[in-house]
Amino acid sequence: MISYGPAGSDDLCNVRGLDPSVPRLVLDRERWERWSRADWSVPRLPADRFERDRMLKTIDELAELPRLAEEGHWLAGESQRVRVRVGEIDQTNWSADIKPWRKGSRGAPFVRGIHFRNDESNVWLQHPAFDSTIPSTAPERKQAKWCGPLKPADQPRLACQAIVNAQQTRRLRWIVLPARCVLGNSVNHLQIPDDILKLLTAEFGGLDEALGWLCELLNSQKLDAWARAWAANNNVNNYELELLPLPPVQLQVPSNLA
C-alpha cells in the first residue's frame, strides 16, 4: 500500500490528479502491522523530508514498546490495567454548580482545558486556586470553582488535556492534578492500579513525587510526536491515549511485571 500526504487543495489537478511532489510512503505490511497493532491505521506525517524521517524513526522506535492500557508492563497491576477516564463533571449539565474563582475564594478548584499551559519545554497547571496573580478578568477565573454535590478526589491524579489546534506544537499536555480538585469532562485522567501507586509512592518517597516523575515521562517529546502522528482527528479519545507506548524504566517492580 502507498500512503500519500499531506496534500492541500493546490496539489490536486483535474488532469494529472495528485501532484507528483506530494510526499508518499510505501507501507510494508509487517512494519505497518507492528506500528498499528494490526488495526491498519496510517500515521500523519510532516511534509518536510527531514521532519518526516525523524517522525518515522520515532514511530519505529516506540512501536516495539508495550501500550499504556496493555497488561504485563511495569505500570500495570497484577490483575488490572491502566485506564483512561473522562473528567467526572459534564460542564453543560452541571453549569449551575460551576462558579468563577474570585480573589479570596475558597472551595474545590474546577479544572478544565484552559487551565493547562505549556511552553517549549514544560507543561503546568494555571488555576487561580494555585496562582493568585492571575488577573481578575482572566478566562482562567471563569468556570473555575466547583460548588456541586460531588466530592473532590482525595488524592492527586495524572490528567491530560488534548490540544485540538493543529498549529500548536504539542498534541497532549499532562499535569499532576492536586488532591481536592474536580475535573471537567473536556479533560482525561489516568486510573492507575492501587498496587502500582503504592509501589511508585515507595520508590519516590511520596505520591506527588511519583506522579510528577510519571508526568514528565508522559510529556516527553517522543511520546507527543507519536500522539501527533496517530491523531485520527482533532478530538482525542480514550482509545488514543490507551495506545500510547510506555517507555521502559528501572524500578523495583515485581518480577512478573518487570
Side-chain angles (χ1 to χ4, degrees), residues 49-50 82 91 96 108 136 147 224 240 254 257:
R49 180 165 62 90
F50 296 104
V82 176
Q91 295 173 224
S136 58
C147 301
D224 198 72
E240 182 179 330
L257 300 179

Side-chain angles (χ1 to χ4, degrees), residues 66-69 172 174 218 223 226-227 240-246:
R67 306 299 165 87
L68 186 63
L172 305 176
W174 293 89
L218 293 172
L223 282 184
W226 172 281
E240 182 179 330
L241 296 179
E242 288 175 347
L243 286 180
L244 281 175
L246 192 64

Side-chain angles (χ1 to χ4, degrees), residues 7-22:
S9 57
D10 293 342
D11 297 314
L12 299 176
C13 175
N14 57 6
V15 176
R16 294 182 301 168
L18 201 60
D19 191 281
S21 65
V22 172

Side-chain angles (χ1 to χ4, degrees), residues 56-68:
L56 287 170
K57 182 179 179 181
T58 296
I59 293 174
D60 279 329
E61 177 184 340
L62 297 182
E64 302 291 345
L65 301 177
R67 306 299 165 87
L68 186 63

